Structure formats: structure tokens, C-alpha cells
Amino acid sequence: RDSSPKMDAKDLQPLLAAKRWDALVQQCLLFELRSASAQQVETQAVLQNAAILMIGHMLKDDAKAAHFVWKRIPDPGKKAAPYLESVWQLGKHLLLKDRRSFYGAVDNTKWPEVLVPFVDALRAAVRERMTGFIVKAYSSIQLKRTAELLGFKDAGEAKNYATSLSWRIEGDMVYPQSRKVAVGGAGLKLPELGNLSKYMQEFEMK
């Protein structure tokens, strides 16, 4: 009787749909520990779990943790499942804040069917985070730059997305939020203003 741990990526999809990233990572870590105890190293299930665990850490905006997962995968496993390196390349792009390469790798890599929902969720999560950064960092931004930061193929797609968020658009410029200064000092507080330079630096690295 085969008593080795079993893992079906489909069982993790409810956690993915609910955006329960912590629970997703915990399930993958538990499977990894059970597999190690059973002396499983390079089975397909173990390698797929490693890929999903890396993506799970990236969903939590923790590419450094994904790097640790990548480093502890044995070399034979990496050779047996080339998609593992493709997943780690996403983490490397995120660590380097190279968003253009991240989106390009997501779109241009032929992902195993089992990983497609997880990679799609990661792209959506990164886009959502970048949307929040744009709102905090920019009072205005070019449509072309918006497309680059959010992973759209062209300014037209970015315009449709911005419109769906009720952002104001004038020509080739986008205005993510209204910067109104209310009477009585109810506008942006000094700490918030001080953080804007940090957000701008975050953006302009790539």
C-alpha cells in the first residue's frame, strides 16, 4: 500500500479563489514536510508543490521567501521540472522590481496546466498592488507608463482599466485620484507627504 503523501493542486484552488494566501502557503509547507518525512524528493507532486509554494510566497509579496524555496530544491528536481526555474524567474523579477520582465515572463512562458490558475492569480495580485502604489505615488501619470506598471500590452488596455476604476483621463494622461486640499488641514498629512518620495523611488527603479 502506498502511504506517501498525496497532493492535488485542484484542492488548493478554493484557497486561491478566496485569496487566502497564508492558508495556501501553510498547506504547501505541510505537504513539503510530510514528503520529506516520507523521503520523497523528486516526485511530480513534490515538484509541483514547490512551484505552488514559491507562487504562494509571491502572492504574499514575499519573493525572498520564494527564493529560499528555490534554493532548497535539489538540482535533479530542477532538471526534472524546468518550470520550477520559470516560476523562480518571476520571483527574481519581483525582487529586482523589474515589472516589465515579470509581466513578460508571465505572458510568454508556456506554463503547465496545473500552474496556470496560480500564475494568473499572481499576475492579478501584482497588478492590484501596483494599482495601489500608483494611487499613492502619482497625482498624474502617462497612459504608456500606466500600461508598463500594470502589465498591459498597450495604452488602450490601460485606459480601459483606468476607466473601470473611475480614474480621470485627459489625452494621454491619467489622474488616479483627486488631490483636494480641504479647508482646516484635512488633506494629506505630513507623514503621508513624506512617504510619497519613497513610493516614487519604488516606481522609478524600473
Side-chain angles (χ1 to χ4, degrees), residues 173-185:
M173 296 299 296
V174 180
Y175 298 85
Q177 65 177 12
S178 177
R179 302 282 180 143
K180 294 180 179 179
V181 180
V183 176

Side-chain angles (χ1 to χ4, degrees), residues 1-199:
R1 183 179 178 182
D2 183 8
S3 60
S4 60
K6 304 295 182 184
M7 195 277 285
D8 189 338
K10 292 181 180 179
D11 295 336
L12 299 174
Q13 290 190 18
L15 299 177
L16 195 67
K19 297 185 178 181
R20 295 179 59 194
W21 313 141
D22 286 322
L24 175 66
V25 166
Q26 289 303 316
Q27 287 294 318
C28 290
L29 285 172
L30 184 60
F31 180 82
E32 183 182 53
L33 290 172
R34 288 174 175 171
S35 300
S37 298
Q39 296 185 333
Q40 286 183 299
V41 180
E42 299 160 20
T43 67
Q44 190 67 17
V46 169
L47 298 177
Q48 287 181 359
N49 181 75
I52 294 171
L53 179 55
M54 283 193 285
I55 294 172
H57 283 306
M58 286 183 261
L59 284 166
K60 294 178 59 182
D61 200 14
D62 191 355
K64 288 183 179 179
H67 187 208
F68 288 125
V69 177
W70 167 251
K71 288 173 67 176
R72 66 177 179 258
I73 300 171
D75 287 339
K78 294 175 181 177
K79 292 179 181 179
Y83 59 79
L84 288 168
E85 183 170 3
S86 297
V87 171
W88 166 236
Q89 287 301 314
L90 299 181
K92 185 184 294 186
H93 295 321
L94 291 176
L95 277 176
L96 296 174
K97 298 180 175 63
D98 187 351
R99 302 172 191 92
R100 183 179 300 178
S101 294
F102 167 81
Y103 292 121
V106 167
D107 292 334
N108 297 324
T109 301
K110 185 173 177 59
W111 300 102
E113 185 177 352
V114 68
L115 294 184
V116 169
F118 298 91
V119 174
D120 286 346
L122 179 58
R123 172 170 42 195
V126 171
R127 179 172 289 165
E128 185 175 336
R129 285 198 290 266
M130 294 307 300
T131 299
F133 280 133
I134 287 175
V135 169
K136 291 179 178 179
Y138 289 96
S139 58
S140 63
I141 180 173
Q142 288 186 332
L143 267 172
K144 181 180 178 182
R145 181 63 173 152
T146 303
E148 292 175 355
L149 291 173
L150 298 179
F152 291 112
K153 294 179 181 178
D154 54 46
E157 289 186 359
K159 183 176 181 179
N160 291 337
Y161 181 76
T163 300
S164 74
L165 297 176
S166 299
W167 290 357
R168 184 163 56 92
I169 300 173
E170 294 181 4
D172 65 347
M173 296 299 296
V174 180
Y175 298 85
Q177 65 177 12
S178 177
R179 302 282 180 143
K180 294 180 179 179
V181 180
V183 176
L188 287 175
K189 297 177 182 178
L190 286 175
E192 294 172 328
L193 289 169
N195 284 336
L196 285 180
S197 60
K198 180 185 73 173
Y199 286 117

